[in-house]
Amino acid sequence: MSPAVFGHGHLRLYLLHVLDERPMHGYEIIQALSDRFGGTYVPSAGTIYPRLAKLEAEGLVTKQTDGRKTVYAITEAGRVELNDRRDELEGIENGIGDSVRRLADEVRSSVSEAMSTLRAELAAAAREARDDGRASAASAREAATQAAGAATAAAREAGAAASEAVRDATTSMHSTISETRSDGRAQLQRAEVLLAEFRQDLRTELRTAVARGSLDSSTVDELESRLSRLRADIVSRLL
């Protein structure tokens, strides 16, 4: 969805606008953008970090390490560009309102389609339960005509109970799947941010080492070995 949300160069300007409020680390920037779109648009780490790196290279933002986090802040040069493009920024803000409405409509459409599918599944399950109930009643009538009335009532009650059980089980299943996927997406996004920050910071350190002439093959061999062990450990936890 990201290409349709911001026009060419607009995300770059909007990042300056977000950082003009206060310095933020990568995940906070992503959350700030998500909040402005009411959660209908969440940019990926792969979208945000390359643009932050370009803004840093142009001297429009700075970054510094705060513990395990990399914090980005707008520079005076960044504020000058932001102020020079205020009219363009207002147009972006208006466009965001249109994008939020469009994305919300898409979400509502998806939810409506999912609800229609769920209702169809529940109706089919209810019909199957009633058919099973009628079959049980028919067998009971053939076996004992005198117990036909009682068997029919029992079958209908069983059909209603089965329908309710299917409905409850389906609702619970969809709720559990939704919660699991939502948490999984949040954790994936967090992992992507951590990996992007690690790559960005380590790449800077390696380039500095090259400039000093202190990067040798043993260091890279050690990096390869540790990353291989870390990957194996993480993969084993995921299985």
Side-chain angles (χ1 to χ4, degrees):
M1 279 189 284
S2 56
V5 173
F6 287 100
H8 179 68
H10 287 175
L11 177 56
R12 176 180 182 277
L13 178 60
Y14 207 73
L15 286 173
L16 292 176
H17 174 55
V18 170
L19 290 174
D20 191 41
E21 297 178 0
R22 63 180 176 87
M24 301 181 189
H25 58 76
Y27 185 72
E28 287 179 313
I29 295 172
I30 291 173
Q31 280 299 119
L33 288 169
S34 175
D35 291 343
R36 281 167 169 75
F37 281 86
T40 57
Y41 165 67
V42 182
S44 67
T47 297
I48 296 301
Y49 281 100
R51 285 168 174 79
L52 288 173
K54 187 173 182 180
L55 289 172
E56 181 189 7
E58 294 174 0
L60 303 180
V61 303
T62 60
K63 72 174 183 180
Q64 58 183 148
T65 302
D66 179 15
R68 298 176 61 184
K69 299 176 181 177
T70 300
V71 178
Y72 296 87
I74 190 171
T75 64
E76 286 304 317
R79 288 193 175 90
V80 169
E81 175 166 340
L82 185 61
N83 289 329
D84 289 344
R85 300 174 65 184
R86 285 291 177 186
D87 292 342
E88 186 178 348
L89 182 62
E90 290 181 8
I92 295 174
E93 293 274 29
N94 293 334
I96 285 178
D98 293 338
S99 294
V100 168
R101 286 189 289 272
R102 175 175 53 77
L103 292 173
D105 288 342
E106 291 178 2
V107 170
R108 281 194 292 269
S109 177
S110 296
V111 170
S112 178
E113 183 179 347
M115 289 300 296
S116 296
T117 301
L118 179 58
R119 281 194 292 268
E121 291 174 354
L122 292 175
R127 284 195 300 272
E128 183 178 347
R130 287 195 296 269
D131 290 343
D132 290 344
R134 285 194 293 268
S136 297
S139 297
R141 283 196 298 271
E142 291 176 3
T145 303
Q146 295 179 353
T152 301
R156 287 176 178 171
E157 183 177 350
S163 178
E164 183 177 357
V166 170
R167 182 167 56 252
D168 291 344
T170 304
T171 300
S172 176
M173 178 188 68
H174 280 271
S175 176
T176 300
I177 292 174
S178 178
E179 291 174 2
T180 300
R181 287 179 176 172
S182 177
D183 183 64
R185 284 192 294 268
Q187 295 307 319
L188 175 60
Q189 180 181 339
R190 181 183 172 203
E192 288 178 345
V193 168
L194 291 173
L195 288 171
E197 289 184 349
F198 172 79
R199 181 180 182 276
Q200 187 84 11
D201 293 344
L202 184 58
R203 188 178 184 184
T204 299
E205 295 296 333
L206 290 173
R207 287 182 172 179
T208 301
V210 169
R212 291 197 306 262
S214 59
L215 181 62
D216 55 27
S217 61
S218 63
T219 301
V220 178
D221 289 343
E222 179 67 13
L223 173 61
E224 181 180 15
S225 176
R226 292 195 180 190
L227 287 177
S228 179
R229 290 198 300 270
L230 176 61
R231 181 180 183 278
D233 182 49
I234 295 299
V235 170
S236 68
R237 293 172 64 89
L238 296 175
L239 297 178

